[in-house]
Amino acid sequence: MVFKVKYSFSILKLTILFLYSCVEPFDAETGTFESVIIIEATLTDEMKTQQITLTRASPLEGDATVAESNAQVSIIDDSKNEYVFRETAPGVYTSANEFAAQPNQGYQLFVTTNNGRSYVSSSSRLTIQDTDEIDELYAERTNDTGNEGISIFIDNVGIGANTAYYRYEYEETYKVIAPFWTQNDLVETPPGSSQLDLVIKDQEERTCFRTELSNTITVANTNAFTENRLARFPIRFIDKDSYILANRYSILVKQFVVSRDAFTFYETLRDFSGSESLFSENQPGFFAGNIVSETDADEKVVGFFDVSAVSSKRIFFEHPDFFPDGPLPDFVNDCLQDAPRYDTLLDLVRSDFVRYLRENSDPEPFEGPYIVVADICGDCTVFGSNVVPDFWEE
């Protein structure tokens, strides 16, 4: 059985809306709804600083969540070892020290929010059998429902004869090259003087790297297979015209061996997301994870705490490897050239909206002294980082 779940706030918001579903006509103000806490917590067997995310959402406040800050977060194992988490970004809590989940050890999550409400998970543990690894990660040229592109697949041979449950995440990194980079830039010197001067750029702005995390959760189990393995399992499809393939591309795929309960939780998310009407008579009601409120037994909590074994693989490739006849995908911006009047140009430079391309030797049809392009067209740091990732290979 294989399916993919869109793992974004739209799903979580949908879940929250189910809390208040009814068969009577719906008419309510936003203020009549309580916010719902969302807890994202997966402890892994990787030796690292573990991470837990806390947010809140109201059902009618649009597609956004609000960070749950200033909470007390910890994990306690069966041996009474406590692992304290500290807030390192709004709503993001990381363990004070690196640690890894140990086989056959139970772990429990505890959260106390700034307003004094407490939440606790059921105990979760990693078993020795939960050690399956990705066997192969590879890319192929494919045609997905009429769209040509590149598909990412994994092969996996499970350990043991029992059914295995998996969740997959990926992070992709691709090279960004500013198509109209020059070594010079326009700056107002000194600030407030209304005097624009050409200066040599003091940092790398031509070649950068952008990393994006998957916004889907892909899950699978081996129930329907004669043996405990996945073959040619699809992780990602990228259209051949997507800019992320314009230069060198890399993807890191992580495989989480999850519990049956965790799998069921995400399977239920899939079912809820496919509902045609939020307020129909067939509403299945709120589904529970394994995190509950200790303060109020009736409070709804969105989230699941799981302990997973993780394996990962990374591959690199380029567009011509699969489409040697081209063309390469277009840049993300049309990069129109303009030479605005000096006063307009000054405002654009002050706002950091443009980058210098060249002097304007022909005043027709332009008006100003310099030809400029949108910032992203001449400065890759607008779109990515100019620091080469440690893992990068050419």
Side-chain angles (χ1 to χ4, degrees):
M1 181 183 299
V2 174
F3 55 80
K4 295 186 178 180
V5 176
K6 186 72 173 178
Y7 190 68
S8 64
F9 177 66
S10 61
I11 293 298
L12 294 178
K13 181 184 176 186
L14 183 62
T15 302
I16 292 164
L17 284 169
F18 276 112
L19 305 182
Y20 309 100
S21 61
C22 59
V23 297
E24 299 297 325
F26 176 77
D27 183 15
E29 298 294 330
T30 303
T32 64
F33 292 93
E34 296 181 5
S35 63
V36 177
I37 192 165
I38 302 166
I39 301 177
E40 300 173 59
T42 299
L43 176 61
T44 74
D45 63 348
E46 303 165 285
M47 179 58 69
K48 66 174 188 178
T49 53
Q50 308 286 336
Q51 181 175 298
I52 294 168
T53 302
L54 306 181
T55 53
R56 281 193 178 272
S58 294
L60 300 181
E61 292 296 342
D63 292 338
T65 56
V66 177
E68 181 72 21
S69 291
N70 302 316
Q72 299 176 32
V73 180
S74 64
I75 291 175
I76 299 177
D77 65 21
D78 286 345
S79 301
K80 305 304 179 183
N81 297 308
E82 182 175 12
Y83 305 91
V84 177
F85 287 66
R86 298 170 180 168
E87 189 172 18
T88 53
V92 178
Y93 298 80
T94 56
S95 58
N97 300 299
E98 293 186 349
F99 73 102
Q102 301 300 311
N104 298 316
Q105 180 80 269
Y107 296 87
Q108 204 168 6
L109 172 68
F110 296 86
V111 174
T112 301
T113 57
N114 192 45
N115 62 1
R117 300 181 78 89
S118 297
Y119 305 88
V120 62
S121 74
S122 58
S123 181
S124 184
R125 68 183 61 243
L126 181 72
T127 63
I128 295 177
Q129 290 78 20
D130 296 339
T131 56
D132 300 7
E133 295 187 356
I134 297 174
D135 188 35
E136 296 289 341
L137 173 65
Y138 52 97
E140 291 183 5
R141 176 174 173 170
T142 59
N143 191 307
D144 185 11
T145 63
N147 296 322
E148 276 199 301
I150 298 173
S151 291
I152 313 297
F153 299 99
I154 64 110
D155 290 340
N156 165 349
V157 178
I159 297 176
N162 296 327
T163 296
Y165 301 89
Y166 304 102
R167 179 169 66 86
Y168 293 94
E169 293 180 358
Y170 64 80
E171 62 180 48
E172 52 190 358
T173 303
Y174 51 95
K175 184 184 290 186
V176 178
I177 299 178
F180 289 97
W181 172 89
T182 67
Q183 65 178 358
N184 295 317
D185 213 347
L186 282 170
V187 297
E188 183 185 21
T189 53
S193 67
S194 299
Q195 176 66 42
L196 293 176
D197 290 320
L198 282 176
V199 299
I200 302 295
K201 292 180 177 179
D202 60 1
Q203 67 172 2
E204 170 61 46
E205 294 182 359
R206 182 175 184 271
T207 302
C208 293
F209 301 85
R210 181 178 176 89
T211 296
E212 296 182 354
L213 304 180
S214 54
N215 64 356
T216 61
I217 283 185
T218 303
V219 290
N221 72 62
T222 57
N223 268 334
F225 306 137
T226 56
E227 51 185 337
N228 184 16
R229 64 188 302 270
L230 298 175
R232 196 177 164 77
F233 179 73
I235 297 293
R236 172 88 163 101
F237 173 79
I238 310 170
D239 190 283
K240 68 180 178 64
D241 295 324
S242 172
Y243 173 70
I244 68 177
L245 298 177
N247 303 292
R248 191 158 176 79
Y249 171 92
S250 177
I251 185 169
L252 173 72
V253 175
K254 287 188 175 183
Q255 172 181 275
F256 297 81
V257 181
V258 300
S259 66
R260 180 176 181 177
D261 287 343
F263 179 87
T264 301
F265 177 82
Y266 292 113
E267 184 178 39
T268 308
L269 271 181
R270 186 277 310 268
D271 293 341
F272 273 19
S273 68
S275 178
E276 295 181 359
S277 172
L278 295 179
F279 301 104
S280 71
E281 295 183 0
N282 297 319
Q283 293 294 345
F286 179 77
F287 70 94
N290 66 350
I291 304 173
V292 298
S293 170
E294 291 185 300
T295 307
D296 179 1
D298 294 327
E299 181 181 356
K300 307 302 183 183
V301 181
V302 177
F304 198 95
F305 173 64
D306 199 30
V307 182
S308 298
V310 179
S311 66
S312 62
K313 280 189 180 293
R314 178 184 294 279
I315 57 172
F316 294 81
F317 58 83
E318 299 182 19
H319 191 273
D321 295 338
F322 301 93
F323 298 95
D325 298 330
L328 289 174
D330 294 332
F331 190 61
V332 294
N333 188 289
D334 291 337
C335 295
L336 300 178
Q337 301 176 24
D338 192 13
R341 294 185 326 185
Y342 193 90
D343 57 341
T344 302
L345 176 62
L346 181 61
D347 288 339
L348 291 170
V349 170
R350 285 172 172 171
S351 301
D352 203 29
F353 287 159
V354 296
R355 294 295 182 271
Y356 169 83
L357 183 58
R358 63 179 182 274
E359 292 187 3
N360 184 18
S361 59
D362 183 2
E364 296 294 339
F366 301 124
E367 301 179 58
Y370 302 109
I371 295 177
V372 294
V373 292
D375 53 0
I376 196 173
C377 301
D379 180 0
C380 66
T381 64
V382 175
F383 196 54
S385 169
N386 58 10
V387 178
V388 182
D390 293 338
F391 60 79
W392 193 258
E393 298 176 0
E394 290 292 345

